[in-house]
Amino acid sequence: METLILSADDSDLYIGGEIIRNGGLVGIPTETVYGLAANALDGQAVKRIYEAKGRPSDNPLIVHICELSQWDSLVTAVPDRAKRLADAFWPGPLTVILPKSGIVPNETSGGLDTVAVRMPSNETARKFIEYSGVPIAAPSANTSGMPSPTCASHVINDLFGKIDAIIDGGECSVGVESTVVSLTGEVPVLLRPGGITPQMLESVLGEIRIAPAVYRKPENGIKAESPGMKYRHYSPKAKVILIRGGFDGYRGYVESHKTPDCLALCFDGEEKLLSVRALSYGGENDSVSQAKRIFAALREADDMGADTVFARYPNDGGVGLAVYNRLIRAAGFEVTDV
Ligand code: TXA
Ligand code: MG
């Protein structure tokens, strides 16, 4: 299939919207990561998303909206605490799960009776949804299991020839996927950490619960609260070793375990203190910069032909919880203490 590369200009967004209305797939920028968009209300179109990504069909998609009236039509009701979340954080990197209405096909909800919805803050994304005229189902626009895409070239690498078009809207400003919170039970549950931190959620909701799978590998046989959490994720081809401790311990570990093709994934300024190839994924005390860089850095590790990646353990507070969550998955849930 020929894949059109489009700009974020109005005339190109219009072409993208037309592709969506015709049941096609378009890679689009959002503030978090690039998404692979289809008409969320068209089960056949959504099926093509799973095929293009190689995604297991029981892993539900997030539905993206550009105005609140679309939310009303997708869920059975918008309770007060959901309204307060939307007031505080939409448009923005927050996804809210509620019981779904009859218009949401099973393909979109992965067979569940709930639906995940978010209103992105990226203006190109919102305009694209508006031009499409329908709510947009969009998982991250990567091949399933690969690091999520944070610029158009990542989408081109993974999906060129498999989808109808890609809109180049530059680099994503947040860099990790949205925070996912479920409001289907009594206590709100944080299913995936992102740019909206647990503290920010608590400031609106009061008490929340953090799903165990945010920190640990879900045990075999136990049903994950969010289907996506049971799959291997964000992994470059290289083996990722996540190393917790100070820089001296990290350097000692790297120097004694280095291979000819290894890569040190470190913090700004540490590159020149190591004898191996090194790449920074942000400032040591700057979780926001780490979030923005982490996926591109994991992809770069593959481009550089690294066989082993020695990754510095991030500060896991605030937005850092999202960085930690992505890295621990890339490392197969193993941490090496030094
Ligand atoms: O930032 C984002 O959220 C990006 C951009 C494109 O908006 N999208 C994204 O989608 O990350 P995806 O499909 O890669 O991740 C969606 C996550 C998965 O872990 C999925 O299992 C979970 O949300 N999810 C979706 N619907 C759900 C539901 N009804 N119940 C529980 N988990 C759900
Ligand atoms: Mg994804």
Side-chain angles (χ1 to χ4, degrees), residues 56-67:
S57 62
D58 66 346
N59 192 3
L61 306 177
I62 294 172
V63 180
H64 297 67
I65 59 174
C66 60
E67 48 188 78

Side-chain angles (χ1 to χ4, degrees), residues 32 55 59-60 62 64 97 114 116 118 139-140 177-178 192 226 228:
T32 57
R55 180 181 176 107
N59 192 3
I62 294 172
H64 297 67
I97 298 176
T114 56
R118 97 173 180 98
S140 48
E177 304 89 337
S178 61
R192 181 177 71 182
S226 182

